[in-house]
Amino acid sequence: MEEAIFKLNNVYFSYLGKYPALCGVSMDILKGQKITILGANGSGKSTLLQLLDGLIFPDKGSIFAFDRQLNEEVLNDEAFSRKFRSKVGFVFQNPDVQLFCPTVEEDISFGPLHLGVNLDVVKKRVNDLADSLGIMSLLRRSAHQLSVGEKRKVAIASTLAVDPEVLLLDEPTAGLDPQTARHIIDIIIEANARGKTIITATHDLHIVEEIADTIYIMSNEKKIAKSGATQVLLADLDLLKTHNLMHVHRHKHKDEAHIHSHQHLDHHT
Ligand SMILES: Nc1ncnc2c1ncn2[C@@H]1O[C@H](COP(=O)(O)OP(=O)(O)OP(=O)(O)O)[C@@H](O)[C@H]1O
Ligand SMILES: [Mg+2]
């Protein structure tokens, strides 16, 4: 049996003590797993990832990461925090939160330099990642002047530059053109093949089969409605419909407008 690197036990979290965002979530995440969190807008996906990254802490219940309970005190411990930050990387849903340096090059270098990685190693990582993601020409620019998709690529590069064991990716393909999205998926698959644990939140069912072996579906009550093997849950159309994971389309047959739903996996013909 693989070791559990994260253990969540009946975790509750609310913003400002009055906006519930997670209501009793328990899960074990094993080393090397590929997990996707699915669920409607506001069901708690981003909140769950922020808890796993130790950015916020449960109101009730507990989270253990690498056998230590995550709380404010533990993450204020410089030695633990440094170790934790080098092991766990987070690509935020909103790349603006993550990019704050004068140039893209500095944004990508920031994490590994901060964690004490040798300058030459950092330079090589920045170059390799920029080359692989096709953002070499952006290195001297400010991230604030970039398009949404370009910002997302820089945010992904800045997280990968740390080479963490666990990658938390919040909507990693949102706003990306199809080829770039494909490339990000390949990077995720390749990282997992090298033993990295991958935890994503997404609405894009097209990519789930490739980036997840296990799915957790969050409900509007901000609990886990169902978890299980990707193939099994993606085949449960009623479940997907209940949790807003189906498209609703309006189109015309002859002169009559029809509205019907279909899952994201269906192909448009
Ligand atoms: N900063 C905040 N202040 C107050 N409430 C918040 C804040 N961030 C999130 N919430 C609330 O917490 C709940 C969960 O939000 P969360 O962002 O985790 O959902 P999500 O599943 O990631 O949604 P989306 O698919 O839209 O990204 C929502 O009801 C939301 O309104
Ligand atoms: Mg979110």
Side-chain angles (χ1 to χ4, degrees):
M1 187 71 179
E2 281 285 359
E3 62 183 289
I5 48 177
F6 286 101
K7 271 180 169 293
L8 280 72
N9 184 27
N10 205 21
V11 168
Y12 284 76
F13 180 83
S14 60
Y15 290 93
L16 309 169
K18 57 179 172 179
Y19 302 112
L22 276 190
C23 301
V25 166
S26 299
M27 65 200 292
D28 280 3
I29 298 174
L30 307 182
K31 186 169 168 27
Q33 258 193 315
K34 284 191 291 181
I35 288 177
T36 288
I37 322 285
L38 292 170
N41 292 131
S43 59
K45 303 180 296 297
S46 296
T47 303
L48 177 55
L49 293 184
Q50 288 176 63
L51 284 155
L52 292 172
D53 197 41
L55 297 172
I56 52 178
F57 304 101
D59 298 335
K60 234 168 70 181
S62 62
I63 301 185
F64 281 80
F66 311 105
D67 294 326
R68 289 280 300 268
Q69 184 166 1
L70 291 186
N71 55 40
E72 221 153 344
E73 202 187 335
V74 162
L75 275 151
N76 280 338
D77 168 2
E78 178 80 16
F80 178 82
S81 169
R82 183 175 283 262
K83 209 165 123 203
F84 184 76
R85 296 281 159 234
S86 67
K87 283 186 176 185
V88 182
F90 190 15
V91 179
F92 287 79
Q93 183 166 7
N94 173 5
D96 286 324
V97 177
Q98 204 175 331
L99 306 172
F100 46 81
C101 294
T103 67
V104 164
E105 186 170 22
E106 289 165 279
D107 268 320
I108 303 175
S109 315
F110 181 86
L113 284 180
H114 195 67
L115 292 168
V117 179
N118 172 287
L119 184 61
D120 287 336
V121 175
V122 174
K123 278 188 178 160
K124 180 162 174 12
R125 282 189 199 172
V126 171
N127 266 298
D128 289 351
L129 284 164
D131 187 34
S132 148
L133 286 160
I135 51 172
M136 207 60 123
S137 63
L138 306 180
L139 286 178
R140 309 247 170 264
R141 291 181 55 187
S142 156
H144 298 290
Q145 299 162 349
L146 304 180
S147 77
V148 175
E150 289 169 339
K151 281 182 189 173
R152 189 170 303 284
K153 286 196 258 184
V154 175
I156 289 171
S158 68
T159 300
L160 291 174
V162 174
D163 197 25
E165 277 177 38
V166 181
L167 280 167
L168 306 168
L169 300 137
D170 202 348
E171 314 271 356
T173 53
L176 296 182
D177 64 65
Q179 264 186 34
T180 306
R182 176 72 250 162
H183 192 60
I184 299 301
I185 295 162
D186 289 341
I187 287 175
I188 292 172
I189 295 169
E190 190 264 336
N192 181 249
R194 284 190 290 124
K196 314 279 185 194
T197 308
I198 311 284
I199 305 159
T200 44
T202 187
H203 293 114
D204 188 355
L205 292 190
H206 275 113
I207 69 172
V208 174
E209 245 169 328
E210 292 194 85
I211 61 166
D213 44 45
T214 307
I215 293 178
Y216 287 83
I217 297 184
M218 305 295 298
S219 67
N220 284 333
E221 290 75 40
K222 299 152 176 42
K223 298 172 188 216
I224 296 170
K226 188 121 188 178
S227 66
T230 301
Q231 303 287 350
V232 177
L233 264 59
L234 285 185
D236 189 339
L237 301 188
D238 287 338
L239 179 74
L240 299 179
K241 207 166 179 178
T242 307
H243 296 286
N244 273 18
L245 296 163
M246 312 271 270
H247 273 307
V248 177
H249 277 272
R250 182 175 196 279
H251 43 172
K252 276 193 168 177
H253 292 301
K254 300 213 170 96
D255 283 333
E256 230 178 300
H258 288 263
I259 295 177
H260 68 84
S261 60
H262 74 81
Q263 58 165 322
H264 288 227
L265 284 175
D266 285 351
H267 292 287
H268 296 241
T269 47

